Amino acid sequence: NTMMVYRVRFLRQLHQFAGRASLASAATPAPSSPPASASEHLGGGAKLKADAASIAGLTGLGLAAVGGVYLLLSGRHREAPPVEASLPGERLDRSRIPGGLVRALQEGKCFGFVGAGASKNAGSPVFVELLQHLCKHTPEDDRVLEGAYRSANELRALAEGDEMWEMTNYELDKVQFDLFRIFKYSHMQELSQQKFPWKSPWEIKSDAYNRQRKAFLDLPFVGFATWNWDNLLDLALVVEPLPRHFSEDLWTRVSEGWAARDRGRRSLFKLNGSITAKEGDPCAAVFGEDDYKAVEEDRRRFHQEVGKRFSICTLGLRMESEETPYNPVGMRWWSPVGSAAGSDREHYVILPQAKPGSAEEKRIFEMEATYRVKVITFPLFDEEGKYLDPPVGLAELLERIREEVNRPDA
């Protein structure tokens, strides 16, 4: 019992940084069978036991070899620049700010991908919390609707307890799809908006979040993309739906916003739409399973087009596996060309600092070896494993990056 309580508490902590703040923020068309990968860490993902067991077998040089063999077979390894990566057991100082990131920001060559972890300090619900809220409102009904995975009564049972905290992305997506089958667009939208009560970021009272938001928007990213439902960045940027066409004019326009030095002209692409938009609007929320499948190729093209043109920097994304949509440099969006390691750009991942020997640290080793990214970390917990209060670790890191970018001699 003690171990189970610890395990659930651990999963909750991971979800609270990198959980999904949007109802449909995982745009996953449900496959006919669950994903084969069990290496889903940093919150959600595969069951913790399966994760630990599968990762434990890939220690030492073997894990680095997996990444090396993958890059060799993909034929993309020659195109990637050398990146300072670490072997399992070698602990780099990941609080350092890579010079490549500073240069990419200064030159308008860095694109930010924003996940739910970036909104946690503002009070946004993580995906499990939002699903639990929605499940409480399902009607009493034992029927399983056509194409559904659960009945309304089974969904309501998920509202209580910890079962959803241990679900994979694949399983959580099925819950979301079933809820949409029951509620349809307008009711789903109404219930979801109850969990995002603020109308503007100026209503947020968290000093830690306000510092973080200001420092992040001050960084000269050329553009942004997000899966989040909240509007905490919307009023400071030009909100755009997922593109359906990818001409050079699109990227010229994106770069022009940066070149004008007008931070408010930069684009924020809502990859999963917005819950404030009406059904049928170009930026309407994408709730249903069929709708997800319909935009899958556009999402893939978007990631590949961005990765070819810019360095990617992720914030608040779990990067847990190849199947998850929250991995802008992974195989889901880069197949069949490999991963973003095959681009000629260096990419960056901002994550909470991992405890030595933990599953999160092993996942960092995996990402550095497989994707050839640089991981930058900030403190989330104190030495006793408790959340920092106030939670200023991310804000302080973003402020340090801003200082480096603005240094006259940088």
Side-chain angles (χ1 to χ4, degrees):
N1 290 338
T2 300
M3 290 301 294
M4 179 58 71
V5 169
Y6 174 78
R7 178 182 178 187
V8 170
R9 183 179 302 161
F10 176 70
L11 286 170
R12 284 181 184 272
Q13 290 175 338
L14 296 180
H15 271 279
Q16 285 176 341
F17 171 71
R20 293 178 284 183
S22 67
L23 174 62
S25 50
T28 310
S32 57
S33 59
S37 171
S39 60
E40 300 185 358
H41 301 281
L42 303 177
K47 298 292 190 293
L48 190 60
K49 287 184 178 178
D51 286 347
S54 61
I55 293 300
L58 294 174
T59 55
L61 293 174
L63 195 144
V66 170
V69 169
Y70 166 75
L71 293 174
L72 179 63
L73 293 178
S74 69
R76 311 295 294 180
H77 65 292
R78 296 182 184 87
E79 302 177 25
V83 175
E84 181 184 15
S86 60
L87 299 177
E90 177 189 359
R91 295 189 172 92
L92 302 175
D93 180 7
R94 294 187 180 82
S95 65
R96 294 181 300 175
I97 301 168
L101 173 60
V102 174
R103 288 189 295 274
L105 288 166
Q106 291 172 331
E107 296 169 3
K109 296 296 183 182
C110 193
F111 202 99
F113 279 78
V114 186
S119 301
K120 183 57 188 176
N121 286 341
S124 288
V126 297
F127 189 46
V128 170
E129 293 168 337
L130 187 53
L131 288 180
Q132 288 177 328
H133 167 73
L134 294 168
C135 285
K136 291 177 181 178
H137 291 81
T138 55
E140 291 189 10
D141 195 340
D142 282 325
R143 295 176 303 158
V144 177
L145 300 179
E146 182 178 356
Y149 303 97
R150 291 178 174 86
S151 69
N153 286 347
E154 289 173 319
L155 290 171
R156 194 182 311 104
L158 292 176
E160 306 297 335
D162 297 313
E163 182 178 352
M164 276 201 288
W165 288 99
E166 297 194 55
M167 285 187 179
T168 65
N169 282 339
Y170 168 76
E171 293 167 328
L172 290 172
D173 287 339
K174 291 196 295 185
V175 173
Q176 174 194 312
F177 297 148
D178 283 345
L179 288 167
F180 178 65
R181 290 183 177 98
I182 293 171
F183 293 134
K184 307 304 180 186
Y185 190 94
S186 59
H187 195 30
M188 189 90 152
Q189 179 187 44
E190 177 186 357
L191 291 172
S192 300
Q193 288 176 330
Q194 293 175 5
K195 298 299 289 182
F196 300 95
W198 53 82
K199 295 182 179 180
S200 77
W202 293 279
E203 297 178 21
I204 305 300
K205 303 302 182 183
S206 167
D207 291 338
Y209 175 76
N210 290 331
R211 279 180 59 187
Q212 168 194 315
R213 180 181 181 274
K214 183 179 187 314
F216 183 67
L217 288 172
D218 282 347
L219 294 177
F221 288 101
V222 67
F224 306 85
T226 184
W227 297 93
N228 294 358
W229 289 121
D230 63 61
N231 65 346
L232 298 179
L233 299 178
D234 295 15
L235 297 183
L237 303 165
V238 178
V239 174
E240 300 196 37
L242 173 72
R244 308 304 296 268
H245 305 285
F246 297 90
S247 66
E248 286 300 321
D249 290 343
L250 169 65
W251 304 113
T252 298
R253 177 169 53 78
V254 168
S255 296
E256 285 175 349
W258 178 89
R261 301 296 177 180
D262 182 350
R263 302 290 167 81
R265 284 183 55 185
R266 294 176 297 175
S267 296
L268 172 65
F269 293 95
K270 304 285 276 191
L271 301 181
N272 217 32
S274 170
I275 57 172
T276 63
K278 295 181 179 180
E279 187 173 11
D281 187 279
C283 209
V286 185
F287 287 133
E289 188 171 11
D290 291 340
D291 294 330
Y292 279 175
K293 293 178 181 178
V295 297
E296 180 80 356
E297 288 306 314
D298 290 330
R299 286 171 172 153
R300 177 175 290 107
R301 180 76 181 276
F302 179 83
H303 283 79
Q304 292 182 8
E305 292 283 335
V306 170
K308 287 188 299 184
R309 287 171 169 80
F310 309 106
S311 289
I312 290 171
C313 180
T314 73
L315 176 67
L317 291 171
R318 290 179 288 177
M319 313 285 288
E320 61 205 22
S321 74
E322 300 297 347
E323 289 81 21
T324 178
Y326 302 121
N327 186 346
V329 298
M331 285 280 288
R332 178 189 177 98
W333 300 126
W334 286 80
S335 177
V337 299
S339 72
S343 75
D344 60 358
R345 303 282 179 184
E346 185 173 272
H347 305 293
Y348 309 93
V349 176
I350 297 178
L351 291 172
Q353 185 176 10
K355 295 181 180 179
S358 65
E360 307 95 274
E361 185 183 58
K362 292 183 176 70
R363 179 56 182 159
I364 287 176
F365 292 148
E366 279 189 321
M367 288 189 289
E368 290 173 332
T370 303
Y371 307 136
R372 299 176 67 81
V373 299
K374 284 191 175 179
V375 176
I376 311 162
T377 60
F378 63 92
L380 188 64
F381 305 102
D382 61 21
E383 295 180 354
E384 298 180 355
K386 299 178 181 178
Y387 277 106
L388 291 175
D389 187 18
V392 296
L394 179 55
E396 291 176 346
L397 172 62
L398 295 172
E399 289 168 348
R400 287 199 296 118
I401 297 174
R402 181 178 60 190
E403 291 174 4
E404 288 295 312
V405 170
N406 294 335
R407 274 198 309 120
D409 58 339

